[in-house]
Amino acid sequence: MILESLILSIKPGQSADFEKAFRDASPIIAGAKGYITHTLNRCIETPDRYLLQVQWQTLDDHMVGFRGSEGYQDWRARLHHFYDPMPTMEHFEPVALS
């Protein structure tokens, strides 16, 4: 399992529109090959900032499969205009603790 994590800074005054667009766009990512689940959390201290986390089966499912798809182009068109600045995407993998 791979965890994609992004901090999304939304242009001031556009959070409500972003949340609606995100709800509408969620089925796009949920239908991608290798998708497991995703969460979107709003920052309490900075209400125009969100944490998006997406679980993928593999890194290629995200970086090659989803990002190379027509669905991603639709996702991008619906959401990317809300970001300022564009977020930095990072991927994480589980660490064995025993």
Side-chain angles (χ1 to χ4, degrees):
M1 188 275 302
I2 299 297
L3 178 65
E4 171 195 4
S5 183
L6 303 97
I7 300 291
L8 308 175
S9 295
I10 305 305
K11 294 174 185 173
Q14 295 190 14
S15 289
D17 291 338
F18 166 72
E19 289 181 21
K20 181 185 182 324
F22 192 91
R23 277 191 297 277
D24 292 345
S26 285
I28 297 168
I29 197 168
K33 178 186 175 292
Y35 165 89
I36 299 171
T37 191
H38 70 282
T39 59
L40 181 69
N41 294 278
R42 185 181 328 118
C43 181
I44 294 169
E45 292 81 11
T46 308
D48 289 330
R49 185 175 300 151
Y50 295 79
L51 171 64
L52 171 60
Q53 294 183 304
V54 185
Q55 290 182 2
W56 298 96
Q57 290 178 8
T58 69
L59 184 60
D60 278 352
D61 285 335
H62 176 231
M63 295 302 294
V64 177
F66 180 61
R67 290 186 60 111
S69 71
E70 289 182 28
Y72 176 72
Q73 297 308 315
D74 189 12
W75 171 271
R76 192 172 81 177
R78 292 175 186 232
L79 298 172
H80 283 204
H81 64 278
F82 288 106
Y83 308 148
D84 186 26
M86 285 301 293
T88 299
M89 173 180 43
E90 296 182 301
H91 295 94
F92 299 84
E93 60 187 354
V95 174
L97 298 176
S98 59

